[in-house]
Amino acid sequence: MSNIVSINKKITRFSVVKPETEQKQEEPKTPEIEHMHENVSRPEMLVGGTYKIKTPLSDHALYITINDIILNPNTDHEVRRPFEIFINSKNMDHFQWVVALTRVISAVFRKGGDVTFLAEELKAVFDPKGGYFKSGGRFMPSLVAEIGDAIESHMKTIGLLQSEELSDAQKQILAEKRKEYEQSKGSTSEDGEFPESAQLCMKCYTKAMILMDGCMTCLSCGNSKCG
Ligand SMILES: [Zn+2]
């Protein structure tokens, strides 16, 4: 093939041809990392968890199912992200709101980005009629907060949220405080239950705050306030 080309027209545009070696050099291929976004299609099968919620507000339990999608499976970038939420109950009192809420939450899950705020937002909803105590002395300000709590536990299970477990040393300190407190009161409480006279901790919403040596200490989360 000849390299000479005769040009009969006016040259209006041109570009410099790069040497072949330069042209063909490509960046080493990195596998594409899939992030959560609204166009991620739903696989046929999702893994998830169902949480049973029993409240004093209704005779019927509430079942919250959260299904997850696994992105980039079998790679270093494998992540498990919540994809959809369903709530079922025999109690149909709040049906339309519950359905609306689950649809909005599912949509937020699928948008991607940081979705952990959902748990925080829902947990902060207070029922004007007043909340209730769960077994173990934890206060639930509303049914919506309970749904937020289930989402939070789920996010902790799949590693999206760090669980705020106390260290063994912290647990030991609290156990000693509790023993000391009970001895001073001449009472004992069942394992897993907090002293009868404990007050509500505003950090973890557990009736586990005791007054000792001029300080309020939460036997559940360790929150402490003196003076
Ligand atoms: Zn606390």
Side-chain angles (χ1 to χ4, degrees):
M1 204 169 57
S2 160
N3 282 329
I4 302 161
V5 179
S6 58
I7 298 165
N8 305 319
K9 290 180 189 166
K10 236 184 187 175
I11 295 169
T12 55
R13 269 193 305 184
F14 69 90
S15 68
V16 180
V17 177
K18 287 180 190 163
E20 265 191 28
T21 49
E22 215 176 291
Q23 268 183 6
K24 284 200 175 152
Q25 244 172 27
E26 274 177 35
E27 294 277 304
K29 272 230 160 116
T30 44
E32 237 173 79
I33 300 165
E34 190 164 42
H35 294 285
M36 195 67 187
H37 58 86
E38 53 201 310
N39 296 320
V40 170
S41 57
R42 187 192 190 284
E44 288 289 312
M45 207 259 319
L46 291 176
V47 283
T50 298
Y51 302 80
K52 182 183 177 180
I53 288 173
K54 186 75 190 75
T55 76
L57 306 175
S58 163
D59 289 341
H60 301 293
L62 206 72
Y63 296 89
I64 301 180
T65 299
I66 303 168
N67 288 330
D68 307 319
I69 188 169
I70 294 165
L71 297 171
N72 315 299
N74 307 316
T75 70
D76 291 346
H77 303 283
E78 182 173 313
V79 279
R80 191 168 162 172
R81 308 251 344 198
F83 189 83
E84 60 194 8
I85 181 168
F86 301 105
I87 298 178
N88 280 298
S89 178
K90 273 189 184 170
N91 180 0
M92 290 280 117
D93 286 354
H94 310 288
F95 187 72
Q96 60 172 329
W97 300 113
V98 167
V99 169
L101 186 64
T102 56
R103 288 193 188 169
V104 172
I105 295 172
S106 297
V108 174
F109 281 164
R110 289 186 210 128
K111 278 272 183 192
D114 184 7
V115 294
T116 56
F117 73 94
L118 277 171
E120 219 43 59
E121 288 287 341
L122 299 179
K123 277 174 66 188
V125 174
F126 279 73
D127 185 344
K129 284 184 235 157
Y132 49 88
F133 281 95
K134 294 179 72 71
S135 58
R138 266 185 82 211
F139 182 70
M140 266 307 148
S142 65
L143 183 60
V144 174
E146 187 104 56
I147 295 167
D149 196 57
I151 294 174
E152 186 181 75
S153 335
H154 186 75
M155 286 176 170
K156 281 178 181 167
T157 308
I158 65 171
L160 213 55
L161 273 177
Q162 213 95 65
S163 92
E164 292 160 26
E165 271 275 322
L166 296 175
S167 69
D168 287 344
Q170 283 172 305
K171 278 184 197 161
Q172 204 185 332
I173 293 169
L174 290 180
E176 276 163 19
K177 276 232 175 234
R178 178 195 190 125
K179 219 167 119 192
E180 209 181 314
Y181 179 80
E182 285 174 347
Q183 274 168 359
S184 73
K185 293 264 165 192
S187 66
T188 49
S189 53
E190 301 256 327
D191 234 22
E193 301 232 326
F194 297 106
E196 190 83 350
S197 49
Q199 291 176 36
L200 185 64
C201 166
M202 291 315 283
K203 191 179 170 213
C204 68
Y205 293 120
T206 306
K207 235 170 140 272
M209 272 275 200
I210 52 152
L211 180 66
M212 262 184 83
D213 311 323
C215 294
M216 292 297 289
T217 303
C218 175
L219 294 174
S220 178
C221 72
N223 182 28
S224 179
K225 212 164 69 184
C226 297

